[in-house]
Amino acid sequence: MSVESARAFYERIATDELLQKQLQNAVSDEQRLEIVLAAGYSFTLPEWEAALAQISKSGDSISDTELDAILQRRHFVNAGGLKVVPYQLPTKVWSGLKQTSFGKVLRRLFNPSAWSIRTKLSVALLAVALIPMSFTTYHNLQESLKSAEDSEYRKLELLATSNASRLDQLIIDIQRVAVQVSTDKDVVGFLAATNPQKQTAFRSSMQRTLDNVFRSNPDYDVVYIIDTKGRCLAATDPTFISQNYAFREYFRYSIQGRPYVSGIIVGTTSGRAGIYFSNPVRSEGGKIVGVAVLKIKGEDIWAIVNALQAGSQSYAFLVDERGVIISHPDKSLLYHSLAPLPANKQQQSETDRLYGVDQIKSLDVPELASVIVGAKQTSHTSYYSPIEQTRQMVGFAPLQEQPWVLGVNKAHAQFDAPLNQLIWQNSYSLLAVGAIATIIALILAQSIAKPIRALTKAAQSLVEQDDFDTHQLAKASDANDDIGQLVRVFLQMAQEVKAREQKLKQQVMELNVEIDEAKKARQVADITQTDYFQELQQKAQKIKGRMPKNDETETDYFQQLHQKAQNLKGRAN
């Protein structure tokens, strides 16, 4: 790009009629730009202005009045005759002379003022139809999604509440059995006996009582009694006898006169997981003489919890007051904490070997632990699971009889499946309506733009060829709308313009005749006012005033007159 290229283009367009016509016939700025580039010229608007400034300094410039005429008629007349100058392209065209066709398309795409009227009408109609509908569809979709999500969370909460109630009822029933064992007269008499002979008298009946309780429910793992020192004196499982359980939390609580229900912990003797129910045994005088313990199988609790499902990828789990998982369908996750335990709780759990493991590992889900551990009300939450590596949703409910929380977990992707289907259905509906609206918009825009294009073409033909095809506007002029009125006004205007043009041509012809006569008169005046013409006229008057002599014939007279005229002509030469 250079000023020299702009100046060369200026000089060429002044004489190249073919290039002039190509630029004049171009229907858009893009076509004019392509013509300029194809001719081998490349310059920007500032370079074009610089070239005009150089031309102005060199004396070849044009005046402001002539420049206005150029922009309107694309030509002007100077002393040297008719001179054609280039068409003045808009600024936005000069700024993109070196850009690619794709860049030009993008530039026009993001320049609404350069759009055709059909495109503008189509975009406007589509915007009016689709924008409100899109907002309405989006709002309805968001409300539907929120409603569906709330409904799903509510479902999870109801499932958790239902299963928590079942566990509460089971705990209440087992506690009643533990109370019955601790208040049985044979158990009380056995533990209250002060010597071995009395204990022997109650042992057989006491053992029968323990065995009857054990056989009454298949969920029971073992039933046994402990003296005040923590030593097991009788049990349905002989391996428990003589074992000391003074370190167990259930013994420490009950020996102080309080009933106790443990979590699902692993027995040090049997190595089996279960829940321990303990109750103090009191003598007739109210003195605590021992502790009655009833253990139920952990597998049965797990079976109750695991039976609860909200879908193929959902499951239930149970968390105790420490945040340790005591029931989970994946056995490898049992006795893992949701978040790292404090040092004191970690040490206590390892010392008492509550869960039968050397160390309680963490699943590192603090987002879930902060909400679910120690929860007092039914609620829900969502969290990211590092195990599944997906987003999970949980509905949970606390138990009333124990500080445990039962949660029902469901993968968010499973919940998203019907929602995605709902989104696609709304999208299809929007696309279908958009397609219909697009067709209608194009048809309406075409019906409006077609007569306008015909009117534009007729106006261009009127400018370039002084005539146009009226048949193209005949159909549009029959319409009763604003376009029809515009076409009728244009046809009337065209007729008046033609009439005025004919009148102007006649006036120009008459003016030319008057100018020719005046010119001839001025030329005659210029000739007759010379000294030579005045002298010649005087001599002609003398010759005209001279009469022939009597003895001269008329022929002699004219011969003499001719001879003098030749002499005068020679002198003039």
Side-chain angles (χ1 to χ4, degrees), residues 246-275:
F247 67 94
R248 283 297 194 184
E249 194 171 12
Y250 59 79
F251 173 79
R252 296 198 299 265
Y253 267 77
S254 295
I255 202 64
Q256 296 176 7
R258 293 178 292 175
Y260 179 83
V261 180
S262 71
I264 300 179
I265 60 179
V266 179
T268 57
T269 303
S270 64
R272 298 187 299 268
I275 300 178

Side-chain angles (χ1 to χ4, degrees), residues 100-158:
T100 62
S101 299
F102 178 74
K104 291 186 291 183
V105 171
L106 287 180
R107 189 173 61 253
R108 183 168 184 175
L109 178 63
F110 292 102
N111 185 15
S113 61
W115 295 351
S116 64
I117 188 171
R118 180 175 62 180
T119 303
K120 292 179 180 178
L121 288 173
S122 299
V123 172
L125 292 173
L126 285 176
V128 170
L130 295 182
I131 290 179
M133 179 181 174
S134 299
F135 278 108
T136 303
T137 302
Y138 177 79
H139 178 268
N140 293 337
L141 180 61
Q142 291 299 317
E143 291 297 323
S144 299
L145 295 178
K146 186 177 183 302
S147 176
E149 187 175 21
D150 292 341
S151 176
E152 187 66 23
Y153 276 124
R154 181 59 179 166
K155 177 182 176 182
L156 296 177
E157 291 177 4
L158 290 174

Side-chain angles (χ1 to χ4, degrees), residues 129-299:
L130 295 182
I131 290 179
M133 179 181 174
S134 299
F135 278 108
T136 303
T137 302
Y138 177 79
H139 178 268
N140 293 337
L141 180 61
Q142 291 299 317
E143 291 297 323
S144 299
L145 295 178
K146 186 177 183 302
S147 176
E149 187 175 21
D150 292 341
S151 176
E152 187 66 23
Y153 276 124
R154 181 59 179 166
K155 177 182 176 182
L156 296 177
E157 291 177 4
L158 290 174
L159 289 172
T161 302
S162 174
N163 218 34
S165 299
R166 289 183 60 192
L167 290 177
D168 279 331
Q169 188 60 47
L170 177 63
I171 292 172
I172 292 173
D173 293 340
I174 303 301
Q175 280 180 323
R176 289 174 180 172
V177 175
V179 171
Q180 291 176 0
V181 172
S182 66
T183 57
D184 184 80
K185 62 178 182 177
D186 295 326
V187 173
V188 173
F190 177 79
L191 291 176
T194 58
N195 55 63
Q197 289 80 9
K198 290 184 178 180
Q199 284 187 346
T200 303
F202 286 103
R203 179 175 290 277
S204 59
S205 57
M206 180 270 300
Q207 187 66 44
R208 192 165 43 250
T209 299
L210 297 182
D211 292 337
N212 290 337
V213 171
F214 175 74
R215 287 192 294 266
S216 66
N217 194 329
D219 294 337
Y220 297 160
D221 191 318
V222 64
V223 182
Y224 56 101
I225 59 176
I226 306 172
D227 62 13
T228 56
K229 296 180 180 180
R231 186 168 60 92
C232 178
L233 300 179
T236 57
D237 186 350
T239 59
F240 279 72
I241 299 176
S242 299
Q243 299 290 335
N244 192 304
Y245 298 103
F247 67 94
R248 283 297 194 184
E249 194 171 12
Y250 59 79
F251 173 79
R252 296 198 299 265
Y253 267 77
S254 295
I255 202 64
Q256 296 176 7
R258 293 178 292 175
Y260 179 83
V261 180
S262 71
I264 300 179
I265 60 179
V266 179
T268 57
T269 303
S270 64
R272 298 187 299 268
I275 300 178
Y276 292 81
F277 296 82
S278 63
N279 204 67
V281 178
R282 297 177 185 273
S283 65
E284 293 180 359
K287 182 181 178 181
I288 297 177
V289 293
V291 175
V293 182
L294 192 156
K295 176 185 177 184
I296 65 173
K297 299 175 182 178
E299 289 84 355

Side-chain angles (χ1 to χ4, degrees), residues 153 156-157 160-161 371 375 377-381 394-398 406:
Y153 276 124
L156 296 177
E157 291 177 4
T161 302
V371 178
Q377 295 180 347
T378 301
S379 185
H380 62 268
T381 188
V394 175
F396 56 88
L406 188 142

Side-chain angles (χ1 to χ4, degrees), residues 501-518:
E501 185 179 6
Q502 292 296 330
K503 183 177 179 181
L504 182 61
K505 287 182 179 180
Q506 183 64 32
Q507 291 176 352
V508 170
M509 292 178 62
E510 294 175 357
L511 183 61
N512 287 337
V513 172
E514 293 178 0
I515 291 174
D516 291 342
E517 291 178 354

